[in-house]
């Protein structure tokens, strides 16, 4: 705002250059008597009374004149003064001093005296108070600029004052003449005189100043007018006489003169006292310049606190203390020498006191804030790139020690940290356990996974495509449960980032404080008063050790309870608020039960999740095992959980306070052993359950290039390998046991646990083999088979197409199962047994023999289940054909085979085709076995005939037997040859010598007939011919 604008505002006594309405105070304050409405009788009566007074002009001129100073105001008793309502900053700052003071909360509008102390136009203006309130936050640079502005303003005011005195000099002279005339009149008033005195007139009384508004005679009546002098004296005029009774003539004008004196002081006092104030301001500015550093330190401390620059804060605080000591030295020196303080010293003491008072307030607020933050501070990771040093507890402790405090910040932080960790362990564990239980209940109350889904998950470990695509080994809800369990345990037991790591870091810090090694870097505070806080007492160190042991025991007990105890029944923690009596602990809000806002655990308190149904499943006793989970997911996550628990136990065992306590050592051992035992029991129970359903994995899909086998053995081998490897890592925890000093915590597994694992391993083998047989021998497979896009026969074999090869055919399933059994016997079972012996250092000699015996029995049963029906069909055909009445030829030399021979061989051709297209390695043993059964059927049928064999019958029998033997010659076995010899012996016993002799003579011809028959059926029975291998 320019000077002209400000002058206009003061002249018209307005606050805005563009007012929208006429100010109401204009109608009340400056209205003259002549402008008042004359319709009111009271106003007329008062005017008449005033006009009757001879000296009414004095009363009017002294009490009702308008101020010549724009912006002046009138007090509550109607007295005007030259002090303005508001004025701009004399240092060139804001245009309204009153507005600044109003913002600072000072009642300047209600208290005029207080306001005058801040207005330069008042005689009570206080420079010190003005600077401390209006410019409390001003910098040295701004104060210097204000000094220049004030100097220029003073020069301008001095010139204006000179002009004012010169222009009003004539008024001063006229006022003197008027006073002399008035004195003469008043001295003669009240005297007794019979003759009227001629009134004297004074020429000066009629002379008025051209620009003056004082002593105007507006009514034409008064003591100085001719009309007033012609009137007789009134009785009340005696009071104006210069007598003792009338106080020598001043009784009537004493009051008005007092008002005139007050107004004169208000009007001319500031002008006459301007030079004195100028000198005072110059002295104040010189003092400000000299004590520039004192004024800067307060703002510097505020800036350091705002930016948390503790290093510079300590330096500035020391500087402020030095300034305060210097001020005390000045006061002490003056008091000791009994000399008055100079203005410069006074200003320095006042400024320093103001600064030190503000600094103490700022430092006290900072201390309270640091105490609060020290309670909530976390241990930042030294490797964290985003570590904020202002939030480090050591930085906060150093600041408190540097500033000086009564309480020990080291001990305060240690106790706060202990309480924080204790409450955090309890709250985190209880919260996690309830969340895990809620998720477990939801899985248990949901529908179990279908058989197809369960089979697909069990195949995940043996499917390379699934491994490449990282296919999950279990359902999404179960994987979510496992992740929740592992995440909860990791939050508790992880060394970096978990509660265990915080406990270890807390103990290391506490040990450093106990040893005193870290105190060497801490400050001793002002005058060394913080040195007493550097050492911890013996009782305090012992209490810290006991506190760390208590934290470890709480953590160990909670983890053991989670694995050893059954699922919790009460889940009300998630919807029950903290009781009012719950103590307030550091950061307790973030662990409050209702602070967690995960939607998975948000539910109506009146409808909590129902408990899991009791169906007798093994997983109902384990809080850490998700319902319906398979072995693969269990192995994957339990292995990580055991490594986590084992690592945590070994890390805790290395702490000095734990290694010296045998009770805690035993507790850590029991934690690892108990967790291992519970996890092993849960896993082997799920293992047995999965193996009982493993036959669902069999979908009769061929295994890669080996079309004679299915993928089921590979899936089983992968599952067993995964489980055995996982069990070995769960039981022995090798990743933890290999660490130094871990043998005291991770002990060898008990023999009973290994025995239980061996028993379940054997059970899985027997269960799988028996289920394979049962599943293959079913008349029709179940409808819930997991479907795939492939069929049993490969495309080339389907083109050969003697049989459909569909998995619904029992014969196909038996052939594939027999082929799989051979793989079990020769490869899978020995490999699994060797892996078990290696992993668990236990020989299975007797068990191996029993398993091999069982495998042999199973294979024999499968072989008979497949070949037995065909053998019976062949025996029936042969027996019917030979015992038929038409079997004996009617000619003396038979040249044709009987029809049953062709029927039997054609059945073998079908069997050959079925076995060749399904399981080629089984062809030779199956055909050989059936060949033996055919020969045995011949023997049985020949024995069944009661009559003796003639030469024609012998020749027919020989042709039938020899033709079958020649066709199946490559499948001949020792037993088949022996049975064939028995056939010939039986025929020889059932004939006479003449027939024998003639048969010998017919042998060459019979050989020719056989050759002719073989050549005639070369195409039909070519499948039985031995294939030549290319050289």
């Amino acid at each position: 705002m320019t000077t002209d604008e400000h002058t206009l505002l003061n002249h018209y006594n307005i606050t805005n250059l563009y007012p929208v309405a006429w100010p109401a105070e204009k109608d009340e304050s400056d209205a003259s008597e002549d402008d008042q409405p004359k319709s009111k009788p009271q106003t007329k009566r008062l005017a008449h009374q005033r006009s009757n007074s001879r000296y009414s002009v004095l009363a009017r001129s002294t009490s009702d004149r308008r101020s010549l100073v724009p912006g002046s105001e009138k007090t509550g008793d109607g007295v005007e003064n030259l002090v303005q309502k508001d004025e701009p900053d004399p240092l060139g700052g804001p245009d309204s001093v009153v507005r600044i003071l109003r913002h600072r909360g000072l009642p300047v509008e209600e208290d005029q005296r207080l306001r005058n102390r801040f207005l330069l136009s008042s005689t009570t203006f206080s420079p010190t108070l003005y600077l401390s309130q209006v410019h409390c936050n001003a910098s040295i640079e701004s104060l210097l600029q204000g000094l220049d502005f004030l100097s220029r303003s003073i020069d301008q005011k001095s010139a204006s004052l000179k002009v004012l005195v010169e222009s009003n000099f004539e008024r001063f002279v006229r006022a003197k003449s008027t006073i002399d005339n008035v004195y003469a009149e008043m001295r003669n008033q009240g005297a007794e005189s019979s003759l009227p005195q001629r009134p004297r007139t004074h020429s000066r009384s009629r002379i008025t100043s051209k620009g003056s508004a004082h002593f105007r005679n507006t009514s034409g009546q008064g003591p100085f007018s001719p009309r007033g002098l012609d009137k007789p004296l009134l009785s009340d005029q005696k009071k104006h006489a210069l007598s003792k009774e009338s106080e020598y003539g001043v009784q009537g004008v004493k009051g008005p003169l007092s008002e005139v004196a007050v107004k004169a002081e208000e009007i001319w006092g500031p002008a006459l006292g301007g030079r004195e104030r100028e000198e005072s301001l110059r002295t104040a500015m010189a003092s400000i310049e000299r004590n520039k550093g004192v004024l800067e330190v307060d703002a510097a401390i505020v800036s350091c606190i705002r930016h948390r620059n503790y290093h510079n804060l300590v330096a500035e605080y020391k500087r402020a203390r030095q300034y305060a000591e210097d001020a005390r030295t000045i006061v002490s020196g003056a008091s000791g020498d009994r000399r008055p303080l100079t203005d410069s010293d006074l200003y320095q003491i006042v400024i320093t006191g103001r600064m030190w008072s503000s600094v103490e307030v700022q430092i006290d607020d900072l201390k309270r804030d640091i105490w609060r933050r020290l309670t909530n501070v976390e241990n930042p990771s030294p490797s964290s790139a985003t570590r904020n040093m202002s939030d480090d507890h050591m930085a906060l402790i150093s600041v408190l020690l540097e500033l000086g405090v009564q309480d020990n910040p080291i001990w305060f932080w240690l106790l706060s940290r202990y309480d924080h960790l204790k409450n955090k362990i309890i709250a985190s564990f209880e919260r996690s356990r309830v969340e895990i239980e809620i998720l477990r209940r939801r899985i248990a109350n949901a529908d179990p996974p279908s058989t197809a889904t369960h089979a697909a998950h069990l195949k995940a470990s043996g499917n390379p495509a699934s491994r490449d695509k990282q296919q999950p080994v279990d359902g999404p809800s179960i994987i979510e449960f496992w992740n929740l369990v592992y995440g909860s345990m990791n939050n508790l037991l992880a060394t970096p980032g978990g509660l265990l790591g915080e406990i270890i870091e807390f103990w290391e810090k506490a040990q450093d404080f106990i040893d005193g090694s870290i105190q060497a870097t801490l400050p001793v505070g002002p005058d060394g008063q913080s040195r007493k806080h550097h050492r911890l007492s013996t009782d305090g160190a012992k209490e810290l050790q006991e506190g760390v042991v208590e934290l470890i025991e709480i953590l160990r007990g909670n983890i053991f309870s989670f694995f050893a105890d059954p699922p919790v029944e009460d889940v009300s923690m998630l919807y029950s608020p903290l009781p009012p009596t719950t103590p307030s602990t550091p950061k307790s809000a973030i662990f409050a039960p209702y602070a967690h806002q995960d939607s998975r655990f948000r539910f109506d308190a009146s409808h909590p999740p129902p408990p899991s149904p009791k169906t007798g499943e093994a997983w109902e006793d384990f809080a850490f095992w998700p319902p319906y989970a398979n072995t693969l997911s269990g192995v994957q996550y339990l292995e990580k959980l055991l490594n986590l628990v084992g690592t945590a136990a070994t890390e805790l065992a290395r702490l000095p306070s734990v290694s010296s306590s045998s009770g805690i050592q035993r507790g850590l051992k029991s934690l690892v052993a108990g967790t291992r035992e519970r996890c092993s029991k849960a896993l082997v129970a799920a293992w047995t359950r999965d193996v009982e359903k493993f036959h669902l994995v069999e979908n009769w899909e061929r295994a890669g290039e080996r079309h004679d086998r299915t993928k089921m053995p590979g899936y089983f081998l992968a599952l067993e390998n995964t489980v055995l490897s996982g069990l070995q890592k769960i039981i022995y925890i090798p990743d933890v046991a290999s660490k130094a000093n871990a043998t005291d915590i991770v002990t060898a597994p008990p023999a009973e646990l290994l025995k239980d694992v061996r028993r379940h391993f054997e059970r899985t083998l027997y269960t799988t083999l028996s289920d394979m047989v049962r599943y293959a021998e079913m008349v029709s497979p179940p409808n819930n088979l997991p479907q795939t896009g492939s069929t049993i026969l490969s495309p080339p074999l389907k083109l050969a197409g003697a049989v459909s090869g569909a998995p619904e055919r029992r014969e196909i399933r038996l052939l594939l199962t027999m082929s799989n059994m051979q793989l079990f016997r020769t490869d899978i079972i020995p490999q699994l047994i060797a892996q078990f012996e290696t992993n668990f250092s236990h020989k299975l000699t007797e068990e191996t023999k029993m398993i091999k015996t069982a495998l042999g029995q199973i294979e024999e049963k499968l072989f008979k289940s497949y070949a037995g029906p065909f053998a019976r069909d062949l025996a029936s055909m042969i027996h019917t054909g030979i015992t038929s009445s038409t079997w004996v030829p009617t000619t003396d030399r038979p040249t044709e085979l009987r029809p049953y021979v062709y029927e039997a061989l054609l059945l073998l051709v079908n069997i050959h085709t079925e076995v060749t297209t399904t399981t080629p390695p089984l062809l030779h043993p199956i055909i050989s076995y059936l060949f033996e059964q055919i020969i045995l059927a011949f023997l049985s049928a020949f024995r069944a005939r009661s009559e003796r064999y003639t030469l024609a019958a012998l020749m027919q029998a020989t042709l039938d037997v020899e033709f079958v033997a020649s066709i199946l010659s490559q499948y001949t076995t020792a037993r088949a040859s022996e049975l064939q010899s028995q056939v010939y012996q039986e025929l020889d016993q059932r004939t006479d010598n003449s027939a024998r002799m003639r048969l010998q003579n017919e042998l060459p011809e019979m050989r020719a007939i056989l050759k002719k028959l073989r050549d005639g059926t070369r195409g039909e029975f070519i499948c039985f011919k031995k294939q030549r291998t290319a050289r």
Side-chain angles (χ1 to χ4, degrees):
M1 181 179 291
T2 63
T3 305
D4 294 339
E5 293 176 349
H6 194 273
T7 303
L8 289 174
L9 292 176
N10 286 337
H11 179 78
Y12 292 104
N13 196 18
I14 57 178
T15 60
N16 187 5
L17 289 177
Y18 306 99
V20 296
W22 179 263
E25 59 269 14
K26 296 295 183 180
D27 297 329
E28 300 172 2
S29 61
D30 294 334
S32 64
E33 292 180 359
D34 297 336
D35 298 331
Q36 295 296 329
K38 297 183 179 180
S39 59
K40 298 182 180 180
Q42 184 179 0
T43 304
K44 292 181 179 181
R45 186 164 51 252
L46 292 175
H48 178 68
Q49 291 176 0
R50 285 196 296 269
S51 64
N52 292 336
S53 175
R54 183 176 182 181
Y55 303 103
S56 61
V57 64
L58 292 177
R60 174 182 176 86
S61 62
T62 59
S63 63
D64 199 38
R65 59 187 175 85
R66 297 186 59 177
S67 175
L68 295 176
V69 181
S72 63
E73 63 177 354
K74 186 176 293 186
T75 60
D77 54 357
V79 179
E80 286 187 346
N81 56 51
L82 293 179
V83 181
Q84 303 176 15
K85 293 183 178 179
D86 195 3
E87 60 184 21
D89 184 10
L91 297 184
D95 58 348
S96 176
V97 175
V98 174
R99 185 172 64 251
I100 296 176
L101 298 174
R102 189 189 310 117
H103 289 169
R104 296 193 180 277
L106 296 177
V108 292
E109 294 181 348
E110 294 81 11
D111 192 348
Q112 181 180 354
R113 292 187 178 182
L114 177 62
R115 180 177 59 184
N116 290 345
R117 299 189 67 186
F118 295 95
L119 298 179
L120 188 60
S121 59
S122 173
T123 57
T124 60
F125 173 75
S126 174
T128 303
L129 185 62
Y130 181 87
L131 291 177
S132 64
Q133 294 295 335
V134 180
H135 292 276
C136 60
N137 296 325
S139 62
I140 297 300
E141 182 179 358
S142 62
L143 292 176
L144 291 176
Q145 294 176 358
L147 178 61
D148 296 336
F149 182 87
L150 181 60
S151 300
R152 293 193 299 270
S153 300
I154 291 173
D155 295 337
Q156 294 175 1
K157 295 292 184 180
S158 299
S160 301
L161 182 61
K162 181 178 181 181
V163 173
L164 177 65
V165 174
E166 291 177 353
S167 61
N168 289 278
F169 182 76
E170 184 181 0
R171 293 186 179 183
F172 294 150
V173 175
R174 291 177 181 178
K176 178 63 170 63
S177 300
T178 302
I179 293 172
D180 291 341
N181 293 335
V182 170
Y183 177 73
E185 290 287 338
M186 294 178 65
R187 184 182 55 186
N188 298 324
Q189 278 187 3
E192 297 293 339
S193 177
S194 60
L195 296 175
Q197 297 182 4
R198 184 176 179 178
R200 293 181 303 169
T201 59
H202 301 278
S203 61
R204 292 185 180 273
S205 65
R206 302 183 63 84
I207 299 175
T208 59
S209 177
K210 180 168 54 177
S212 176
H214 299 286
F215 306 107
R216 291 187 296 116
N217 192 353
T218 58
S219 62
Q221 299 176 1
F224 306 111
S225 63
R227 290 180 59 188
L229 294 174
D230 294 338
K231 290 183 178 182
L233 292 173
L234 301 176
S235 59
D236 60 346
Q237 290 181 350
K238 292 182 179 181
K239 63 182 179 180
H240 298 296
L242 296 177
S243 60
K244 187 176 181 180
E245 293 78 8
S246 62
E247 296 182 6
Y248 300 98
V250 300
Q251 184 177 4
V253 296
K254 186 177 181 179
L257 286 177
S258 298
E259 295 180 2
V260 171
V262 172
K263 289 184 178 290
E265 178 66 23
E266 291 180 355
I267 294 174
W268 302 109
L272 298 176
R275 185 173 299 279
E276 181 181 354
R277 285 197 301 273
E278 178 184 355
E279 294 298 329
S280 177
L281 289 176
R282 290 184 184 275
T283 304
M285 295 306 297
S287 178
I288 290 174
E289 182 66 24
R290 186 170 54 257
N291 297 285
K292 182 178 180 180
V294 179
L295 298 174
E296 288 178 343
V297 69
D298 188 15
I301 289 177
V302 173
S303 177
C304 292
I305 292 175
R306 183 183 298 112
H307 296 92
R308 294 187 178 180
N309 188 354
Y310 297 142
H311 178 74
N312 293 340
L313 171 66
V314 173
E316 295 295 336
Y317 181 66
K318 290 181 178 179
R319 190 155 66 104
R321 288 179 60 88
Q322 185 61 43
Y323 286 136
E325 290 297 330
D326 294 343
R328 294 189 185 97
T329 302
I330 293 174
V331 174
S332 299
S335 176
D337 298 341
R338 294 185 178 181
R339 57 178 174 82
L341 294 172
T342 64
D343 292 342
S344 176
D345 292 340
L346 285 175
Y347 276 116
Q348 181 178 352
I349 293 171
V350 171
I351 293 175
T352 305
R354 164 99 182 132
M355 177 273 299
W356 183 245
S357 176
S358 177
V359 167
E360 283 186 328
V361 172
Q362 298 292 337
I363 293 300
D364 289 342
D365 293 341
L366 174 64
K367 288 179 180 179
R368 285 191 294 269
D369 180 67
I370 292 179
W371 284 116
R372 178 185 56 80
R373 289 165 53 204
L374 190 61
T375 303
N376 300 332
V377 74
E378 293 282 351
N379 271 336
S381 175
S383 61
S384 176
T386 60
R387 177 179 178 180
N388 189 357
M389 291 301 297
S390 64
D391 290 332
D392 188 1
H393 65 279
M394 291 303 300
L396 299 178
I397 291 175
S398 298
V399 172
L400 289 176
L401 292 177
E402 193 69 62
L403 298 178
V405 289
Q406 294 296 325
D407 297 330
N408 190 342
I410 299 175
W411 184 248
F412 179 83
W413 178 79
L414 290 173
L415 292 181
S416 300
R417 189 69 182 155
Y418 163 77
D419 292 335
H420 168 71
L421 290 176
K422 181 178 179 180
N423 289 279
K424 189 175 181 180
I425 291 171
I426 297 174
S428 297
F429 173 75
E430 293 297 332
R431 176 79 194 190
S432 299
R433 182 163 66 173
V434 172
E435 289 178 353
I436 291 170
E437 174 59 19
I438 288 177
L439 199 57
R440 195 188 74 89
R441 290 186 181 186
R442 289 180 176 172
I443 298 175
N445 287 284
D447 294 333
S450 62
T451 55
T453 303
H454 191 76
H457 290 152
L458 291 179
K459 293 190 296 185
S461 61
N463 192 344
S466 300
R467 291 195 298 267
D468 295 340
K469 297 178 182 179
Q470 295 183 350
Q471 179 179 346
V473 295
D474 220 323
S477 59
I478 295 176
I479 296 300
E480 179 186 11
F481 181 91
W482 281 122
N483 288 330
L484 179 61
V485 173
Y486 181 74
S488 301
M489 294 298 104
N490 189 67
N491 290 337
L492 292 172
L493 300 178
T495 303
L499 281 175
L500 176 62
E502 294 186 28
I503 294 175
I504 295 176
E505 291 179 8
F506 170 68
W507 169 245
E508 292 174 352
K509 282 292 183 183
Q511 189 63 46
D512 291 340
F513 282 121
I514 293 173
D515 298 338
S517 59
I518 199 172
Q519 282 88 329
T521 61
L522 295 177
V524 296
D527 301 330
Q529 62 181 357
S530 296
R531 195 184 303 275
K532 60 183 179 180
H533 300 320
H534 283 197
R535 301 298 296 178
L536 297 180
S537 64
T538 305
D539 295 337
K542 183 178 179 181
E543 186 177 349
L544 279 177
Q545 292 177 351
E546 294 175 352
V548 172
V549 171
E550 181 183 0
L551 292 178
I552 294 173
E553 182 60 25
I554 292 174
L555 181 62
R556 186 206 68 82
N558 287 335
I559 299 301
F560 183 80
S561 173
F562 175 71
F563 284 99
D565 295 343
V568 297
E569 298 293 338
D570 185 14
V571 295
S572 60
M573 177 184 180
L574 287 182
Y575 54 83
S576 296
L578 286 175
T581 56
T582 301
S584 177
T585 57
K587 286 195 174 179
S588 61
I590 63 173
F591 302 111
Y594 49 86
H596 197 71
Q597 297 298 326
D598 196 332
S599 59
R600 296 177 300 175
F601 313 109
R602 196 179 302 163
F603 53 85
D604 187 5
S606 59
H607 298 86
S612 58
K614 300 296 183 179
T615 59
E617 294 286 348
W619 46 261
E620 295 175 1
D621 296 331
F622 303 101
F624 59 89
W625 188 273
Y628 312 117
N630 60 41
T631 315
L632 296 177
S633 64
V635 165
Q636 178 180 344
Y637 284 92
L638 288 182
E639 177 185 342
K640 295 192 293 184
L641 288 174
L642 261 297
N643 283 332
L644 195 62
V645 173
T647 303
T650 54
E651 291 293 334
L652 290 175
R654 294 175 184 174
L655 297 179
S657 58
V658 176
S659 59
S660 60
S661 175
S662 58
I664 297 296
Q665 289 278 358
R666 288 193 300 269
L668 294 176
K669 287 182 181 178
S670 64
L671 170 63
V672 176
T675 304
R676 173 177 60 188
E677 182 178 356
R678 291 283 291 177
C679 291
S680 300
K681 287 184 178 181
L683 184 60
V684 296
W687 188 18
T688 303
R689 177 175 172 270
D690 288 342
V691 169
E692 290 175 353
K693 298 181 179 181
F694 198 79
H695 64 277
L696 299 174
V697 175
E698 182 62 272
N699 59 359
W700 311 108
E701 183 180 0
R702 299 301 178 89
E705 297 179 356
R706 293 298 303 268
H707 297 290
D708 59 323
R709 300 168 184 170
T710 64
K711 292 184 177 181
M712 182 267 185
Y715 292 142
F716 179 77
L717 178 62
L719 174 66
E720 293 291 289
N721 283 334
T722 302
V723 175
L724 290 177
S725 299
L727 273 173
Q728 191 265 344
K729 294 179 180 179
I730 290 173
I731 292 176
Y732 291 96
I733 321 178
D735 295 339
V736 179
S738 60
K739 297 180 181 180
N741 301 327
T743 55
D744 297 335
I745 302 300
V746 183
T747 58
E752 187 63 30
L753 180 59
L754 294 177
K755 182 179 179 181
D756 186 58
V757 173
R758 184 194 65 190
R759 182 170 61 253
H760 280 83
F761 172 66
E762 296 174 6
R763 182 178 178 182
T764 57
L765 296 180
Y766 288 124
T767 301
T768 302
L769 297 176
S770 60
D771 286 346
M772 288 173 62
V773 175
R774 179 177 58 84
Y775 192 56
E777 288 181 344
M778 296 174 69
V779 177
S780 60
N783 295 327
N784 56 0
L785 268 176
Q787 299 296 326
T788 61
S790 61
T791 57
I792 293 299
L793 292 178
S794 60
L797 296 178
K798 285 196 289 185
L799 293 176
V803 293
S804 64
E808 287 78 8
R809 288 196 59 199
R810 178 176 177 272
E811 292 77 9
I812 299 297
R813 297 199 303 272
L814 289 172
L815 287 175
L816 292 174
T817 304
M818 283 191 292
S819 181
N820 291 340
M821 282 295 175
Q822 288 186 352
L823 182 62
F824 270 89
R825 176 172 50 83
T826 59
D827 186 18
I828 294 178
I829 297 298
Q831 181 178 345
L832 292 178
I833 291 176
Q835 182 181 0
F836 182 89
E837 293 176 346
T838 302
N839 290 348
F840 301 101
S841 302
H842 184 78
K843 289 295 183 180
L844 300 177
T845 305
E846 296 297 329
E847 291 81 359
T848 302
K849 293 179 181 179
M850 295 174 60
I851 292 173
K852 288 183 178 180
T853 301
L855 270 174
Q857 295 173 356
I858 290 174
E859 285 187 292
E860 182 179 359
K861 180 179 180 181
L862 283 173
F863 190 86
K864 289 181 178 180
S865 297
Y866 177 79
F870 294 117
R872 289 191 292 271
D873 292 343
L874 290 173
S876 177
M877 291 179 186
I878 294 173
H879 186 273
T880 302
I882 293 177
T883 57
S884 175
S885 58
T886 59
W887 177 74
V888 178
T890 57
T891 60
D892 295 337
R893 181 179 292 175
T895 58
E896 297 291 338
L897 298 174
R898 290 306 179 194
Y900 76 91
V901 176
Y902 292 106
E903 292 177 0
L905 290 177
L906 287 177
L907 178 59
L908 286 179
V909 168
N910 291 333
I911 297 173
H912 184 282
T913 303
E914 183 177 75
V915 176
T916 303
T917 57
T918 305
T919 54
L922 296 178
L923 178 64
H924 193 278
I926 290 176
I927 299 301
S928 298
Y929 172 76
L930 293 178
F931 179 40
E932 294 175 358
Q933 297 302 313
I934 289 174
I935 300 301
L936 187 60
F938 275 122
L939 179 59
S940 177
F942 290 146
R943 288 177 178 175
R945 292 184 63 88
S946 58
E947 66 274 10
R948 298 182 66 83
Y949 294 100
T950 60
L951 178 60
L954 287 176
M955 293 178 63
Q956 186 65 51
T958 302
L959 285 175
D960 293 346
V961 174
E962 286 296 329
F963 181 81
V964 173
S966 63
I967 293 297
L968 303 176
S969 59
Q970 66 168 333
Y971 301 103
T972 301
T973 62
R975 186 167 184 270
S977 299
E978 181 182 356
L979 290 175
Q980 189 175 358
S981 299
Q982 293 180 9
V983 169
Y984 292 140
Q985 291 176 5
E986 181 66 23
L987 293 175
D988 185 68
Q989 293 176 1
R990 302 285 294 275
T991 187
D992 51 12
N993 289 331
S994 61
R996 295 190 190 97
M997 296 301 296
R998 284 185 296 173
L999 180 61
Q1000 292 296 327
N1001 296 329
E1002 294 291 337
L1003 287 179
E1005 186 66 23
M1006 292 179 61
R1007 291 191 183 96
I1009 295 173
L1010 284 174
K1011 184 176 182 303
K1012 181 180 178 181
L1013 292 173
R1014 284 198 302 270
D1015 293 340
T1017 57
R1018 186 184 301 273
E1020 288 80 354
F1021 306 121
I1022 194 173
C1023 62
F1024 298 116
K1025 185 177 181 181
K1026 186 176 182 181
Q1027 301 294 328
R1028 295 182 180 180
T1029 58
R1031 295 182 180 179

